[in-house]
């Protein structure tokens, strides 16, 4: 910290500079805007000095790998632990996606990340009437354990880490992964990976829900407890701000709602009887990396500091890992443009760099064609190469938290923390996150921010290159096509399969699952049993729907 | 009386950012906007249009299933005798599919980059007819 006398001196000199050097310059060449703001509508100062960005080094920053983890969660960061390059992939049937996964591993990707289609994400089978037209479109169609076997063919589960973006039916896909490992002769204790399993952000932003919040929270608690006891290296939840941001929130809203969701899950698991150190070290987070470069870096740094402080304050854990926030980053899909799509490579590069300078543990870089379709093989290769160039060529990995100590970054980090705390207070006053969701508070905050952002673009107050400035007409690029035959093939295969399995034994298992769900005991062992008897995702989710009921979203517009 | 616009979608698509932004802009422009809610079957959606005596329908689709989605709604509207209500739409739809959608009766398709003003102006023109 700078002493008061020096600060006063800087203040005095700054005033002097403003009236002389700066004043003259502005008179000759006025600034382009009266107000410079970032994406959270915060006014950005002309220059930052220790007047704004002063820190109490040991208290606010500390050393990497130590509380409050502002500078990073590992003492060596990328010098010893490169981030995991993980491209989100899934389309068509398990056959097509298995080919893509193997291609990505061959190109130097370090971990797998599975995108499921909408029917799977909503716990419905491919032959459900509402699934028509959606099978294999936005991700891979998975109905049964047999599809999972195909998805991971020739990929030994003890040699890779797998992230599965699945929420409402997460317990089912997790059970299938465990069953698949056993079939491959691998002890599930060795499995490493992540299920997203974050239902609160579904009600807030992503809208892929099945059951009402209370029952969903109970299912998540079941998976966290099961994972802590049986699959210790697994991340049973990835608490996600990504979708909140994609729905149009500001960076501060993304940060605040996500961390508050995380604190809600922690409280539920503590209530279920676990000690903080039994599960908190395996919690993980998932953030968006949007366009405002410095704001994003500040957001990542603030996330670590707020989480460490909140966990310490509330639970005072014995294991410091319980306070260290580890996170995955994805570049912001909503910033990509359909116009002049090659420009997206540049946007992704800047956003990916913000993620790395913010200290991410894993990274997905969007492909240039993602506003138009799922990525083509060529587009995803460029996206992966973008990360490889940052890691191998740019030199930014040589030192830890290279922007730490920048007056601007530290000031923004402090602002982020303050802004998040203000939202925490509002959410507390509303009675916690579930109650706030029922009152549509986070949803409305996000919708208003999103509307403001769109208005700014429409009014040319915010420039998007190729959209409202520097427009040109370009030839369309080649994109990946999902043939309608894929859906037909998957539906026919599933219907034949349903006839040939032992439906008597399966129905008994599903009845047992319902009883367990009613009793309040953990449903995980029963779900594992059902999927081994070839229950479909829809079979399991429908059985639980009978017990838990279905969610209806509040309000209208 | 204000013109009544039904904004929504059918099927399993949960993306509501565009829908809600357009709904808000139309409301501000003086329209009476009805939001369908998510995960509607085509029957629920078309019945809503009939019950609410809708003047125009806006549908969004971001999943790539647009060819199926628009055809299903328009077929059902014709079947139920409301084929005269104009339908417009938008979303992540490749330019090459726009012509096909217009052929089956979609009046206009707004692609990524369309402004709220364009959409509002179009709907104003539509209800004047």
């Amino acid at each position: 910290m700078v002493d008061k006398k020096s600060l006063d001196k800087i203040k005095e000199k700054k005033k002097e500079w403003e009236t002389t050097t700066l004043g003259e310059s502005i008179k000759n060449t006025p600034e382009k805007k009266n107000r410079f703001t970032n994406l959270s509508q915060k006014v950005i100062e002309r220059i930052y000095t220790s007047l704004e960005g002063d820190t109490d080094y040991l208290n606010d920053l500390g050393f990497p790998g130590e509380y409050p983890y502002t500078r990073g969660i590992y003492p060596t960061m990328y010098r010893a632990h490169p981030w995991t390059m993980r491209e989100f992939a899934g389309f068509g049937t398990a056959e097509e996606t298995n080919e893509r996964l193997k291609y990505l591993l061959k190109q130097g990707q370090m971990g797998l990340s599975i995108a499921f289609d909408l029917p799977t994400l909503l716990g419905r089978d491919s032959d459900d009437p509402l699934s028509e037209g959606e099978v294999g479109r936005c991700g891979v169609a998975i109905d049964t354990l047999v599809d999972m076997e195909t998805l991971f063919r020739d990929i030994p589960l003890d040699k890779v880490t797998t992230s599965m973006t699945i929420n409402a039916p997460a317990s089912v896909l997790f059970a299938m992964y465990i069953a698949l490992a056993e079939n491959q002769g691998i002890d599930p204790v060795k499995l490493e990976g992540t299920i997203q399993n974050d239902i609160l952000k579904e009600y807030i932003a992503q809208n892929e829900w099945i059951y009402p919040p209370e029952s969903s929270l109970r299912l998540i608690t079941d998976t966290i407890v099961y994972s802590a006891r049986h699959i210790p290296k697994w991340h049973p939840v990835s608490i996600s701000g990504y979708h909140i941001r994609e729905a149009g929130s500001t960076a501060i809203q993304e940060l605040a709602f996500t961390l508050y969701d995380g604190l809600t899950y922690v409280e539920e698991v503590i209530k279920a009887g676990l000690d903080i150190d039994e599960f908190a070290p395996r919690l993980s987070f998932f953030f968006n990396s949007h366009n405002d470069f410095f704001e994003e870096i500040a957001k990542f740094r603030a996330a670590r500091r707020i989480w460490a402080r909140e966990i310490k304050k509330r639970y005072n854990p014995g294991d410091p890992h319980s306070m260290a926030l580890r996170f995955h980053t994805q570049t912001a899909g909503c910033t990509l443009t359909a116009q002049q799509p090659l420009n997206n490579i540049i946007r992704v590069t800047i956003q990916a760099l913000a993620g790395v300078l913010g200290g991410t543990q894993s990274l997905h870089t969007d492909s240039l064609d993602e506003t138009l379709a799922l990525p083509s093989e060529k587009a995803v290769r460029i996206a992966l190469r973008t990360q490889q160039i940052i890691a191998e060529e740019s030199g930014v990995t040589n030192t830890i938290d290279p922007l730490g100590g920048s007056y601007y970054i530290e000031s923004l980090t402090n602002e982020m923390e303050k802004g998040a705390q203000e939202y925490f207070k509002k959410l507390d006053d509303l009675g916690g996150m579930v109650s706030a969701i029922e009152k549509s508070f986070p949803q409305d905050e996000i919708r208003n921010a999103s509307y403001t952002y769109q208005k700014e673009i429409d009014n040319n107050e915010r420039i998007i290159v190729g959209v409202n400035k520097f427009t040109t007409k370009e030839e369309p690029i080649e994109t990946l096509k999902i043939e309608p035959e894929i859906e037909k093939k998957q539906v026919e295969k599933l219907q034949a399969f349903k006839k040939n399995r032992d439906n008597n034994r399966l129905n008994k298992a599903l009845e047992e699952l319902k009883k367990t769900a009613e009793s309040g005991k953990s449903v995980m062992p029963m779900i594992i049993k059902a999927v081994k008897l070839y229950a479909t995702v829809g079979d399991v989710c429908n059985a639980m729907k009978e017990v838990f009921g279905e969610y209806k979203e509040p309000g209208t517009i | 009386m204000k013109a009544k616009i039904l904004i929504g979608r059918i099927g399993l698509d949960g993306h509501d950012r565009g829908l809600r932004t357009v709904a808000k802009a139309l409301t501000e422009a003086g329209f009476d906007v009805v939001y369908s809610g998510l995960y509607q079957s085509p029957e629920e959606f078309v019945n809503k249009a009939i019950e609410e005596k809708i003047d125009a329908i806006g549908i969004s689709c971001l999943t790539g299933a647009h060819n199926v989605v628009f055809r299903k709604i328009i077929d059902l509207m014709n079947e139920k005798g409301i084929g005269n209500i104009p339908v417009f739409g938008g979303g992540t739809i490749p330019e090459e599919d726009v012509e096909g959608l217009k052929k089956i009766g979609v009046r206009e398709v707004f692609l990524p980059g369309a402004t709220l003003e364009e959409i509002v102006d179009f709907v104003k023109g539509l209800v004047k007819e």
Side-chain angles (χ1 to χ4, degrees):
Chain A
M1 275 207 293
V2 184
D3 63 86
K4 187 165 179 311
K5 213 173 133 193
S6 310
L7 279 178
D8 285 344
K9 188 104 187 146
I10 295 169
K11 205 177 206 170
E12 191 191 311
K13 282 278 174 200
K14 191 179 171 196
K15 268 222 173 94
E16 206 179 298
W17 168 76
E18 280 169 349
T19 49
T20 58
T21 313
L22 174 71
E24 270 169 44
S25 165
I26 286 184
K27 208 162 67 190
N28 295 332
T29 318
E31 291 177 333
K32 290 189 165 150
K33 294 188 241 179
N34 291 328
R35 259 170 107 241
F36 288 75
T37 55
N38 66 10
L39 286 171
S40 292
Q41 306 296 336
K42 289 272 173 204
V43 173
I44 302 301
E45 301 297 331
R46 182 172 295 112
I47 187 171
Y48 287 79
T49 66
S50 37
L51 292 171
E52 298 82 14
D54 194 19
T55 53
D56 176 348
Y57 187 88
L58 294 179
N59 194 31
D60 295 337
L61 304 180
F63 288 91
E66 286 181 5
Y67 183 84
Y69 300 99
T70 314
R71 306 206 67 181
I73 61 162
Y74 298 122
T76 46
M77 285 303 287
Y78 303 135
R79 294 164 64 103
H81 305 270
W83 68 87
T84 307
M85 298 179 189
R86 208 187 272 288
E87 295 294 304
F88 191 38
F91 60 93
T93 67
E95 303 266 346
E96 283 87 21
T97 302
N98 175 258
E99 289 302 316
R100 175 64 67 89
L101 296 179
K102 286 190 279 193
Y103 173 80
L104 285 166
L105 288 171
K106 212 171 134 198
Q107 296 299 319
Q109 171 166 285
M110 297 138 83
L112 301 176
S113 174
I114 312 296
F116 297 100
D117 69 355
L118 278 163
T120 310
L121 290 170
L122 288 153
R124 290 173 187 265
D125 288 341
S126 298
D127 60 351
D128 186 295
L130 271 190
S131 301
E132 193 191 339
E134 300 290 359
V135 177
R137 282 253 170 226
C138 286
V140 59
I142 299 293
D143 290 309
T144 68
L145 184 56
V146 177
D147 292 329
M148 281 293 259
E149 280 163 9
T150 310
L151 182 63
F152 291 100
R153 196 165 47 206
D154 311 322
I155 303 172
L157 298 193
D158 55 348
K159 300 279 188 307
V160 290
T161 68
T162 303
S163 171
M164 291 186 275
T165 297
I166 190 81
N167 293 283
S171 53
V172 190
L173 276 299
F174 188 30
M176 284 184 177
Y177 199 76
I178 294 166
L180 176 62
E182 286 176 3
N183 288 353
Q184 281 190 358
I186 293 160
D187 186 348
V189 94
K190 287 192 192 145
L191 292 178
E192 287 186 59
T194 310
I195 40 176
Q196 195 166 78
N197 205 21
D198 169 14
I199 202 70
L200 290 171
K201 67 94 173 51
E202 296 296 335
Y203 304 121
I204 297 172
Q206 171 93 344
N207 301 325
E208 284 152 9
W209 56 67
I210 302 177
Y211 321 109
E214 298 296 336
S215 304
S216 297
L217 278 178
R218 175 264 174 105
L219 266 181
I220 289 170
T221 307
D222 278 3
T223 49
I224 295 176
V225 173
Y226 187 88
S227 155
R229 296 205 170 127
H230 303 283
I231 311 182
K233 287 196 222 158
W234 194 265
H235 295 291
V237 55
S238 169
I239 307 147
S240 307
Y242 186 80
H243 321 79
I244 292 174
R245 195 68 182 279
E246 289 289 300
S249 83
T250 65
I252 288 178
Q253 288 166 351
E254 177 195 356
L255 178 67
F257 297 158
T258 307
L259 295 183
Y260 201 91
D261 284 348
L263 293 169
T264 307
Y265 295 131
V266 169
E267 198 51 34
E268 288 292 316
V269 181
I270 297 272
K271 271 197 253 164
L274 258 62
D275 181 82
I276 185 81
D277 292 330
E278 282 182 271
F279 68 97
R282 304 309 299 166
L283 297 175
S284 62
F285 287 81
F286 172 22
F287 291 110
N288 194 297
S289 194
H290 209 282
N291 275 340
D292 195 309
F293 185 68
F294 292 111
E295 184 180 32
E296 294 305 298
I297 297 166
K299 179 184 76 185
F300 301 128
R301 298 174 83 244
R304 282 191 293 270
R305 186 159 79 201
I306 300 167
W307 186 252
R309 285 179 168 167
E310 289 294 327
I311 295 294
K312 190 181 171 84
K313 186 175 83 189
R314 291 164 194 237
Y315 307 103
N316 198 23
D319 181 356
H321 292 105
S322 293
M323 299 181 286
L325 176 146
R326 60 201 62 69
F327 71 102
H328 172 68
T329 302
Q330 179 171 340
T331 57
C334 63
T335 66
L336 304 183
T337 65
Q339 298 84 346
Q340 304 177 40
L342 289 176
N343 294 348
N344 291 330
I345 299 172
I346 321 298
R347 293 189 178 96
V348 168
T349 306
I350 296 170
Q351 295 166 4
L353 189 57
V356 170
L357 291 174
T360 194
Q361 275 59 63
S362 72
L363 182 61
H364 164 102
T365 30
D366 287 333
S367 297
L368 68 102
D369 54 358
E370 285 191 47
T371 57
L372 304 163
L374 294 188
S376 70
E377 197 170 272
K378 184 176 168 197
V380 75
R381 191 179 66 228
I382 293 170
L384 179 60
R385 295 286 182 259
T386 305
Q387 297 199 34
Q388 290 163 336
I389 290 167
I390 292 174
E392 305 284 349
E393 297 182 18
S394 75
V396 296
T397 56
N398 287 338
T399 191
I400 300 166
D401 187 30
L403 291 177
S406 143
Y407 301 123
Y408 181 34
I409 280 288
E410 296 303 350
S411 165
L412 282 177
T413 306
N414 294 343
E415 292 251 341
M416 281 281 162
E417 188 171 10
K418 213 175 107 214
Q421 289 294 349
E422 282 163 13
Y423 268 119
F424 285 6
K425 173 84 178 42
K426 283 183 197 158
L427 291 161
D428 283 344
D429 291 346
L430 287 167
M433 191 50 102
V434 171
S435 162
I437 287 167
E438 283 162 357
K439 294 178 181 111
S440 199
F441 171 74
Q443 297 96 309
D444 290 346
E445 289 287 297
I446 296 166
R447 284 167 202 157
N448 291 336
S450 161
Y451 192 62
T452 307
Y453 179 76
Q454 188 59 44
K455 281 274 191 190
E456 284 176 352
I457 294 171
D458 285 4
N459 297 338
N460 280 357
E461 288 160 28
R462 202 165 284 290
I463 299 303
I464 310 288
V465 171
V467 174
N468 57 4
K469 201 172 183 180
F470 313 117
T471 54
T472 49
K473 195 79 194 147
E474 267 194 4
E475 287 299 300
I477 55 166
E478 277 287 310
T479 56
L480 183 81
K481 297 271 180 291
I482 312 285
E483 298 305 331
E485 287 71 43
I486 280 184
E487 177 163 321
K488 209 170 145 243
K489 196 170 96 185
Q490 180 74 12
V491 169
E492 279 168 6
K493 197 176 68 181
L494 173 65
Q495 286 176 337
F497 179 86
K498 278 180 178 173
K499 281 192 200 122
N500 291 328
R501 63 188 176 179
D502 185 343
N503 282 305
N504 278 337
R505 277 181 73 198
L506 173 60
N507 288 336
K508 267 188 212 142
L510 292 172
E511 282 307 314
E512 267 182 83
L513 168 64
K514 278 192 254 179
K515 277 194 198 120
T516 316
E518 271 162 23
S519 76
K521 278 189 225 146
S522 171
V523 290
M524 273 310 290
M526 292 315 305
I527 298 179
I528 295 171
K529 187 172 167 188
V531 301
K532 281 186 181 164
L533 291 168
Y534 298 107
T536 61
V537 173
D539 290 332
V540 177
C541 290
N542 288 337
M544 291 199 286
K545 229 187 264 181
E546 283 180 37
V547 180
F548 297 145
E550 276 183 88
Y551 178 69
K552 286 267 170 268
E553 61 179 320
T556 48
I557 301 171
Chain B
M1 219 177 70
K2 283 182 181 180
K4 221 173 186 186
I5 316 291
L6 176 64
I7 294 288
R9 63 155 48 95
I10 58 162
L12 299 181
D13 188 356
H15 297 93
D16 66 347
R17 179 175 180 173
L19 272 177
R20 289 184 180 276
T21 306
V22 169
K24 205 162 179 163
L26 289 171
T27 308
E28 281 188 2
F31 292 101
D32 185 0
V33 179
V34 178
Y35 174 53
S36 72
L38 297 172
Y39 310 128
Q40 302 286 303
S41 70
E43 287 75 17
E44 287 168 315
F45 188 87
V46 172
N47 285 343
K48 193 154 216 156
I50 297 169
E51 279 160 31
E52 300 269 359
K53 300 195 172 61
I54 290 298
D55 297 304
I57 294 177
I59 298 163
S60 113
C61 182
L62 287 93
T63 64
H66 44 272
N67 290 330
V68 176
V69 163
F70 282 91
R71 188 185 28 97
K72 265 193 190 171
I73 292 183
I74 288 176
D75 284 354
L76 198 61
M77 284 173 67
N78 287 330
E79 209 176 284
K80 299 214 173 194
I82 57 161
N84 58 320
I85 300 178
V87 173
F88 63 100
T92 46
I93 296 168
E95 222 171 315
E96 67 211 56
D97 287 355
V98 172
E99 212 189 306
L101 291 173
K102 285 191 171 171
K103 243 180 216 157
I104 63 164
V106 181
R107 298 287 289 273
E108 190 56 86
V109 180
F110 294 95
L111 303 183
T115 67
L116 292 171
E117 202 184 336
E118 282 166 39
I119 300 172
V120 169
D121 284 348
F122 173 79
V123 178
K124 278 182 183 164
L126 207 56
V127 298
K128 254 190 207 150
E129 287 174 12

